[in-house]
Amino acid sequence: MSIIQTPSVTTVPVSFEVYPPRSDASDAALHRTIARLAEVEPSFISVTYGAGGSTAGRSLEVLRHIRRETRVEPLAHLTCVGNSYREATALIREFLDAGIRSFLALRGDAPQGAPEGPDGAGDLESAAQLVQLIDRVQAECSPYTEEPIPGVPGAARVERRRHVDIAVAAFPNGHPRSRYPAEHIDALLAKQAAGATLAITQLFFHADDYLAFVSRARAAGVVIPILPGIMPITSPSRLTRIVELTGQPVPGALAVDLDVEPTAEGRREVGVRYAAELCRAVLEGGAPGIHLYAFNHHRTVLATLAEAGVITPTEETS
Ligand code: FAD
């Protein structure tokens, strides 16, 4: 069964990303956000993982909350850079023991100034290795499942184990540290070969970036679904930070429209309009759904879905 669910509330499958909050007050706010996001019955809500494991406990808390309080599949981001095999194995077990069955396996980035390479970066050097490790650890924890046989007390049918769903990252405009132009496609192929069942893209600003990337990936042999990751950008400062983080060229029209808008509400509308347009264009081009970076707020991403015609508008989303 695919983690991308047939939608019931939305016209196409949707999913969201949130991050672990930094304080008790933002904890309560995130719980409200999760409840509102859950109302549109997304395929999953993913929870980021701080660089070098800095948020492991808090990420797991949020994942447990999603599992306990909603019917939405929680998807755990995990990074491996800097971890030994033993540490990574223990971490995966902890998440599996908490009932987490869906992961986004990431290489992650070494902290600034930390040495790269086998000594500085731990035993695992790529996301593909983490994909394999997650699958192996799950196979060891639950090699098979037992289904009770109705009417035969104490008897059980042994079934093949339910495999974990393992998503991986994809980069429509290449990874900023790629050493040759197609390295990000080769990396995606390696992750698919290792067992990944879904790719989620880094954010991008033009539908053609995503659509051309999907064509190149398909031509190279990538067959897993590639979900477009879309972020409504609602302020010039956030745009600057995102451009720095992802190494993408500044999207001129969006930058100008955000700059000239005098009010925060006006800038939010600009961000929603651009993101909704992007959603419509990638869906028209064949995207299997929409993954939205929610920044722990439901209003903007739900407004984006409403503007894109994916959910019915309400007073709150207009
Ligand atoms: P891999 O698949 O192993 O490599 C991807 C690419 O990295 C390769 O194509 C290669 O070109 C390039 N590369 C080459 N050399 C290096 C190098 N020295 N260092 C890094 N990359 C190199 N990070 C977090 O810490 N926590 C998160 O929760 C998180 N969530 C993310 C969610 C999504 C959807 C995406 C797209 C990214 C996320 N990241 C997160 C960022 C991610 O960890 C970084 O982009 C990381 O640099 C690459 O991870 P990967 O899994 O794609 O690595």
Side-chain angles (χ1 to χ4, degrees), residues 17 48-49 51 77 79 104-109 116 126-127 169 171 175 177-179 183-184 187 191 200-202 293:
E17 176 188 295
T48 64
Y49 188 81
H77 295 209
T79 64
L104 175 58
L106 297 149
R107 178 187 191 278
D109 293 308
E116 292 279 352
S126 73
F171 298 84
H175 189 280
R177 292 161 86 175
S178 280
R179 287 156 291 202
E183 191 179 14
H184 61 295
K191 293 188 259 195
I200 305 176
T201 74
Q202 177 64 286
Y293 295 102

Side-chain angles (χ1 to χ4, degrees), residues 7-44:
S8 45
V9 175
T10 51
T11 57
V12 295
V14 300
S15 51
F16 302 103
E17 176 188 295
V18 298
Y19 59 84
R22 297 182 183 93
S23 69
D24 288 350
S26 36
D27 221 19
L30 178 60
H31 291 175
R32 284 192 296 278
T33 288
I34 287 171
R36 300 308 307 277
L37 296 177
E39 284 171 13
V40 303
E41 300 186 7
S43 294
F44 59 87

Side-chain angles (χ1 to χ4, degrees), residues 134-136 138-139 142-145 159-164:
I134 292 172
D135 192 55
R136 196 168 336 124
Q138 194 236 358
S142 45
Y144 56 83
T145 57
E159 303 273 4
R160 284 166 65 92
R161 74 185 163 109
R162 182 198 150 187
H163 279 264
V164 275

Side-chain angles (χ1 to χ4, degrees), residues 234-302:
T234 53
S235 74
S237 57
R238 179 167 293 170
L239 179 59
T240 307
R241 214 169 53 247
I242 292 302
V243 164
E244 272 167 23
L245 274 175
T246 61
Q248 303 203 39
V250 180
L254 173 60
V256 170
D257 285 358
L258 285 173
D259 262 341
V260 298
E261 196 50 63
T263 65
E265 188 53 27
R267 288 189 287 275
R268 200 184 75 85
E269 281 168 18
V270 168
V272 165
R273 200 171 66 239
Y274 270 80
E277 182 49 42
L278 209 45
C279 291
R280 274 194 296 269
V282 293
L283 288 170
E284 268 169 37
I290 297 290
H291 181 70
L292 284 163
Y293 295 102
F295 267 108
N296 288 14
H297 292 289
H298 58 275
R299 193 169 155 238
T300 301
V301 285
L302 294 181

